[in-house]
Amino acid sequence: MFLSIRKYPDPILKIKAEKVKNIDGSVRELIRQMKETMIANDGAGLAAPQVGVAKQIIVVNTKKGPRAFINPEVIEPGKKKKKNQEGCLSFPGLWLKIVRPETVKIKAVDEEGKETVIEAKDVPALIFQHEIDHINGIEFIRRASLIEKIKAQRELARLRRDYGTGRKAY
Ligand code: CO
């Protein structure tokens, strides 16, 4: 079953998600459905708040296939920065140029409950940073420069019209 993706201006996208304490059956089932949903939507990554669950879980489409990372955090951002075009399944149609560290070291718990450290660079590094931002309630627009934010206003207004009805954005 595919999960429906929460779109801007859904307030869940601004909430800091809770740490996962036990990887129980419901967490494993959520991970399975998040992977399917990411693939079905051609996403490079997906965070649990995007499917309405405020838990610190992300899935990333890696070279080895979709993998889940639980309670992930950036422990060492590289010094060198790189500008890339980013999109987000919660902001359909919006593309922003965003500057982020080109390399990152990430600490997370894998699906078997083992603590792991991942080093990522280039596109995978930005995907990890984007998804980890989601579990901290940081939408990618907040990482954009002022000029990019100004350029995005029309698209954001369109998204608020399409997805904002009945929900109060804050
Ligand atoms: Co996103």
Side-chain angles (χ1 to χ4, degrees):
M1 191 192 75
F2 303 136
L3 303 165
S4 71
I5 294 177
R6 301 292 187 95
K7 312 285 198 315
Y8 169 86
D10 194 311
I12 198 166
L13 299 171
K14 289 190 175 73
I15 291 169
K16 185 169 164 60
E18 282 185 16
K19 273 204 152 73
V20 174
K21 293 193 188 89
N22 297 307
I23 305 170
D24 56 17
S26 70
V27 167
R28 277 193 291 271
E29 179 60 14
L30 173 65
I31 286 172
R32 198 183 62 74
Q33 293 185 346
M34 282 175 64
K35 286 178 178 174
E36 285 185 8
T37 304
M38 172 179 68
I39 303 289
N41 287 280
D42 269 332
L46 185 68
Q50 290 182 282
V51 293
V53 181
K55 283 192 179 148
Q56 294 188 15
I57 302 169
I58 64 170
V59 292
V60 175
N61 209 355
T62 72
K63 267 190 221 149
K64 294 175 192 157
R67 286 177 63 191
F69 302 91
I70 297 157
N71 305 335
E73 51 185 304
V74 174
I75 49 172
E76 246 181 76
K79 285 195 182 74
K80 216 173 136 204
K81 305 266 172 90
K82 200 175 176 182
K83 192 191 272 183
N84 271 294
Q85 185 103 313
E86 285 186 33
C88 179
L89 292 175
S90 295
F91 291 75
L94 180 65
W95 294 89
L96 298 168
K97 288 192 198 91
I98 295 189
V99 178
R100 296 187 189 268
E102 194 177 18
T103 58
V104 275
K105 207 181 259 189
I106 289 134
K107 193 177 87 176
V109 173
D110 69 14
E111 289 166 61
E112 282 72 49
K114 218 175 81 204
E115 203 165 271
T116 121
V117 172
I118 305 120
E119 284 179 64
K121 63 178 242 192
D122 296 326
V123 175
L126 85 85
I127 296 167
F128 273 108
Q129 292 174 77
H130 179 115
E131 302 312 329
I132 291 172
D133 272 351
H134 272 305
I135 60 169
N136 289 306
I138 300 167
E139 296 165 309
F140 77 142
I141 181 95
R142 265 179 56 194
R143 299 288 189 195
S145 65
L146 182 60
I147 186 92
E148 281 290 290
K149 282 184 180 132
I150 291 167
K151 283 197 285 187
Q153 286 313 307
R154 187 195 291 258
E155 287 293 294
L156 290 173
R158 175 186 59 79
L159 290 167
R160 282 195 297 271
R161 266 199 316 276
D162 289 353
Y163 303 109
T165 44
R167 271 182 204 280
K168 194 166 148 255
Y170 63 97

